[in-house]
Amino acid sequence: MAFPKFIGADSGGGSLRGMSDSVVVNVKPGSRKGPLVEVGDEGELTIYVRERAVDGKANDAVTRLLAAHLELPRSRVELISGATSRVKRFRVSR
């Protein structure tokens, strides 16, 4: 499995969150191709989901799919920016 390029890492020094990284993904909501995660040549992620961008349904689907792709529980993947954008940033806690 190819892994995405992580943007940065927090040391967590005393934080309750522990280690975490940021992952930036491009999202294609309402896609017939989905659910699918494509990893580009340089580690960039494009996530295709069938759900439309209505009432947060696409965001929920992207979060579930990203967690499954990274083999992590969904509770460790948190949307931190881009709720209404096709480019989203997630915090991934290890």
Side-chain angles (χ1 to χ4, degrees):
M1 166 175 49
F3 288 98
K5 181 174 18 174
F6 290 99
I7 300 303
D10 300 329
S11 66
S15 170
L16 294 176
R17 291 182 188 236
M19 296 290 289
S20 66
D21 294 308
S22 292
V23 178
V24 176
V25 300
N26 293 310
V27 176
K28 306 289 185 177
S31 173
R32 291 183 183 177
K33 212 173 176 181
L36 174 68
V37 177
E38 286 186 349
V39 181
D41 294 337
E42 295 182 21
E44 66 277 3
L45 291 179
T46 302
I47 299 181
Y48 298 86
V49 293
R50 290 185 181 260
E51 291 81 353
R52 295 261 175 217
V54 177
D55 297 329
K57 291 179 183 177
N59 287 339
D60 290 340
V62 169
T63 303
R64 282 193 310 272
L65 194 54
L66 180 60
H69 178 74
L70 297 175
E71 299 177 355
L72 293 171
R74 185 176 177 193
S75 61
R76 298 208 177 198
V77 178
E78 175 187 8
L79 179 64
I80 55 176
S81 70
T84 59
S85 172
R86 290 183 183 215
V87 177
K88 300 181 185 304
R89 182 181 303 256
F90 288 89
R91 178 179 296 124
V92 179
S93 303
R94 293 185 253 158

